[in-house]
Amino acid sequence: MAKKAQTVYVCQNCGYESPRWMGRCVCGAWNSFVEEKVGGEKDDSRRRTGRAKVSESGKVRSGRPVPLKSVKSGETDRIDTGIPEFNRVLGGGLVRGSLTLISGEPGIGKSTLILQAASYIADTYGKVLYVSGEESEEQIKIRADRICGTLSDNLYILAETSMENILTQFEAIEPVFMIVDSIQTMFTDSLDSAPGSVSQVRDCGAALMKAGKESGTPVLIVAHVTKSGELAGPRTVEHMVDTVLQFNGERSTPLRILRAVKNRFGTTNEIGAFEMGRQGLMPVENLSETLMADMEKGTEGSVATAVYEGTRPLILEVQALTTPTPAGFARRQAIGVDIRRLNMITAVLERHAGISLGNQDIYMNIVGGIRPEGTSYDLAAAMAIYSSYIRKAPPENTIILGEIGLTGGLRSVPYTDRIVNEAKRLGFSRIIMPEKNAEKFKNLKTPTITGVSTIAQALRLIG
């Protein structure tokens, strides 16, 4: 028997559903509820998960426990995207039956990246279905001619927003890979709400997951982001998918960074580097060299540092600028650095180094649009601020790294041996690091290793 449609109120911030309107949601957001109609189903098909086993007749059969040892792993059956940096972030390629979500700012290159991958997979493995709810077939063809060259007969384009029609074509074509661009433009007839609403995004995501899991086809969906860079729509979609990728970069520079926020089939520490050009996105194999190519030597407020991302060390440039504040309240702004981390470093400089920064505006930037994880760049950020404050350049051809504690002491950082090898390869002559890390390199002659135990001791190396 068909169920009667019900009226529910859904929070646009977290996706929480309530039978009545609430001024404040359980997540803390105010006035975030919107009214939506939820229609009933004639059967229980929507309650079935995409991971249920399907028999040859198409009926869902109940699962039975099996020994984990007897389950076949899909690790050796990944699909190569043809883009080494993309494969690196995914953990080795696309896993069959997986649901991957990629997000990023408009115009950053998401559609270009997935179209390049789709073209290679169509040439190598078979049929690929590219579903677009934002562009027409002609627009996609113009981009494909520019970045892909000769197109395969196995690459199919579908300009559609109805989920029912998309799934019908999916079953008819039986592709080895499907792309949906974007999930916010899709809608299902079972709901009365507009495309992009919380319930539409959630139900369309669930339908794609069910189709991909049952057929063993990897599905990649594109999602929009908010002004603050957060994923638009309900948070349940992030929990539903297997992999969440973020595509970042500054539009003023050609460098683009792909990072895995969630990955059930690999690590979340890997990053992929690309350079945007006329022929599309090109992988950047030597990222450290690219980031340090334009660094000016002997410049105040400019410090080289090192972080370890995934399986490779990266040499970065940290820039800082201090200037007397014209108003009564000092300003703190940062690009690529957590503003809370910047405030903590500033407080440690004032307390344990005797530097008065209360009347100074501080601006900080990680060159290249990189947003490094971890705390190994703390000391470099502090020395960049100090260098700009006293208007004296830091030591040339030197890499500075170390984590700063609230007591003013320096804590050790991991993977310093690989960082030292990368610094030696790029021609750096000196590395300033925490004393505990420097003890392992007592017999090393090149580059010169200088160990420091406190932030005050490190600042004396500048003057």
Side-chain angles (χ1 to χ4, degrees), residues 251-301:
R251 293 191 181 183
S252 57
T253 63
L255 186 64
R256 303 288 186 267
I257 300 297
L258 182 67
R259 185 185 298 274
V261 180
K262 170 187 175 183
N263 193 353
R264 289 174 176 162
F265 310 112
T267 178
T268 57
N269 295 326
E270 286 286 6
I271 65 171
F274 302 88
E275 189 171 356
M276 176 64 80
R278 184 170 180 81
Q279 302 300 322
L281 289 164
M282 301 301 295
V284 177
E285 297 180 359
N286 198 335
L287 183 56
S288 295
E289 243 178 57
T290 303
L291 294 173
M292 299 302 297
D294 298 328
M295 183 177 180
E296 298 179 4
K297 297 182 179 180
T299 305
E300 62 185 49

Side-chain angles (χ1 to χ4, degrees), residues 74-84 86-87 90 92-97 116-129 152-156 173-178 216-218:
E75 184 66 27
T76 58
D77 196 25
R78 289 179 182 257
I79 295 178
D80 181 14
T81 64
I83 306 174
F86 198 7
N87 291 336
L90 290 170
L94 289 164
V95 175
R96 297 185 185 275
Q116 289 180 229
S119 178
Y120 177 84
I121 294 174
D123 278 331
T124 309
Y125 294 93
K127 296 179 181 179
V128 174
L129 178 60
S152 171
D153 294 333
N154 289 325
L155 181 56
Y156 291 81
I173 296 177
E174 297 183 350
V176 297
F177 179 44
M178 181 169 73
T217 302

Side-chain angles (χ1 to χ4, degrees), residues 203-397:
D203 279 33
C204 290
L208 291 171
M209 182 186 71
K210 184 174 184 290
K213 298 292 180 184
E214 290 182 351
S215 63
T217 302
V219 179
L220 190 148
I221 58 179
V222 181
H224 296 163
V225 294
T226 61
K227 292 182 179 179
S228 60
E230 302 252 338
L231 185 66
R235 305 289 294 187
T236 52
V237 176
E238 293 186 61
H239 298 290
M240 185 187 307
V241 301
D242 299 306
T243 306
V244 179
L245 305 177
Q246 283 186 351
F247 207 33
N248 301 315
E250 299 294 331
R251 293 191 181 183
S252 57
T253 63
L255 186 64
R256 303 288 186 267
I257 300 297
L258 182 67
R259 185 185 298 274
V261 180
K262 170 187 175 183
N263 193 353
R264 289 174 176 162
F265 310 112
T267 178
T268 57
N269 295 326
E270 286 286 6
I271 65 171
F274 302 88
E275 189 171 356
M276 176 64 80
R278 184 170 180 81
Q279 302 300 322
L281 289 164
M282 301 301 295
V284 177
E285 297 180 359
N286 198 335
L287 183 56
S288 295
E289 243 178 57
T290 303
L291 294 173
M292 299 302 297
D294 298 328
M295 183 177 180
E296 298 179 4
K297 297 182 179 180
T299 305
E300 62 185 49
S302 176
V303 175
T305 188
V307 296
Y308 198 81
E309 295 283 350
T311 58
R312 58 183 174 182
L314 294 181
I315 310 298
L316 309 171
E317 180 186 358
V318 180
Q319 293 181 344
L321 173 65
T322 61
T323 179
T325 178
F329 184 74
R331 182 179 299 177
R332 306 283 187 263
Q333 290 189 359
I335 300 176
V337 178
D338 188 354
I339 190 66
R340 295 170 296 182
R341 199 76 193 170
L342 175 59
N343 291 332
M344 187 213 75
I345 294 172
T346 304
V348 173
L349 283 171
E350 291 184 338
R351 179 65 181 271
H352 298 286
I355 305 171
S356 179
L357 298 172
N359 62 344
Q360 298 285 320
D361 289 341
I362 300 178
Y363 304 89
M364 181 160 288
N365 176 39
I366 302 291
V367 177
I370 302 291
R371 294 175 174 83
E373 300 286 341
T375 56
S376 61
Y377 62 88
D378 283 357
L379 183 58
M383 297 190 76
I385 294 172
Y386 182 65
S387 170
S388 176
Y389 179 73
I390 66 173
R391 296 190 175 183
K392 186 176 181 180
E396 291 188 17
N397 213 23

Side-chain angles (χ1 to χ4, degrees), residues 4-84:
K4 190 176 180 180
Q6 297 179 348
T7 300
V8 296
Y9 297 89
V10 184
C11 175
Q12 291 181 307
N13 184 54
C14 68
Y16 175 75
E17 292 185 2
S18 173
R20 65 182 187 279
W21 187 87
M22 298 170 59
R24 185 181 184 184
C25 179
V26 293
C27 68
W30 286 91
N31 300 323
S32 60
F33 280 89
V34 293
E35 179 181 338
E36 293 186 359
K37 296 286 186 180
V38 179
E41 290 291 323
K42 295 183 179 181
D43 56 16
D44 61 345
S45 61
R46 292 181 63 196
R47 295 179 179 270
R48 299 170 184 163
T49 64
R51 294 173 174 82
K53 299 295 183 181
V54 182
S55 62
E56 294 180 358
S57 61
K59 295 182 178 180
V60 177
R61 48 187 177 85
S62 58
R64 296 180 180 179
V66 295
L68 182 59
K69 185 178 180 180
S70 65
V71 177
K72 181 183 178 181
S73 172
E75 184 66 27
T76 58
D77 196 25
R78 289 179 182 257
I79 295 178
D80 181 14
T81 64
I83 306 174

